[in-house]
Amino acid sequence: AAAAVAELDGALMRCVRDKCAHHVLRAALHHVPHHRQAFLVDGLQAALPSLARHPYGCRLVQSLLQTVCEPERWRAIGWDLLQDAPQLGGHEYGNYVMQTLAQVAAPPVRSALAAALSPHAVRLA
């Protein structure tokens, strides 16, 4: 599985935007050890704001949130998403990313998410 994922290096964004190939990337996030797919996690992390707003990319960001286990990397991903929380919370696809963030985040990130979204509660409701 790790060798198959390695073949996707260089074609990541093309796969992200493909209605079938993004499923392969999601499976890789869940089944291939992260140290064997660093390019995948790095590439997704670098494109977080746009991926969170994409119909297939949002699913990948959700999988990323659910599977990343390195505390420093997870913290960076969580805080990157928090910077855009009010816009993502009201976005057609980004709201799913915010819901996943609220479900899987550590308490300090959840508190920061609530603080970022509460001034926009009426609009987001």
Side-chain angles (χ1 to χ4, degrees):
V5 169
E7 290 184 27
L8 299 174
D9 196 0
L12 180 62
M13 286 304 132
R14 188 168 39 113
C15 292
V16 165
R17 290 176 173 83
D18 184 273
K19 71 179 182 178
C20 296
H22 82 279
H23 290 290
V24 173
L25 298 177
R26 286 183 69 204
L29 285 170
H30 288 280
H31 300 292
V32 176
H34 285 279
H35 70 276
R36 302 291 304 269
Q37 57 174 340
F39 79 91
L40 176 57
V41 177
D42 290 343
L44 293 175
Q45 187 175 349
L48 279 176
S50 65
L51 289 179
R53 290 175 172 83
H54 189 272
Y56 309 138
C58 71
R59 296 175 186 167
L60 285 164
V61 175
Q62 288 174 280
S63 293
L64 190 66
L65 289 169
Q66 294 166 341
T67 61
V68 167
C69 55
E70 300 94 356
E72 289 301 317
R73 186 182 289 272
W74 204 101
R75 194 172 300 114
I77 291 168
W79 290 112
D80 282 351
L81 291 170
L82 281 173
Q83 301 306 309
D84 208 14
Q87 292 77 25
L88 289 173
H91 189 270
E92 179 180 12
Y93 302 112
N95 80 85
Y96 296 114
V97 173
M98 292 294 99
Q99 289 177 46
T100 301
L101 182 62
Q103 292 169 354
V104 302
V109 177
R110 267 191 235 146
S111 295
L113 179 61
L117 295 178
S118 63
H120 309 277
V122 173
R123 178 180 61 84
L124 295 175

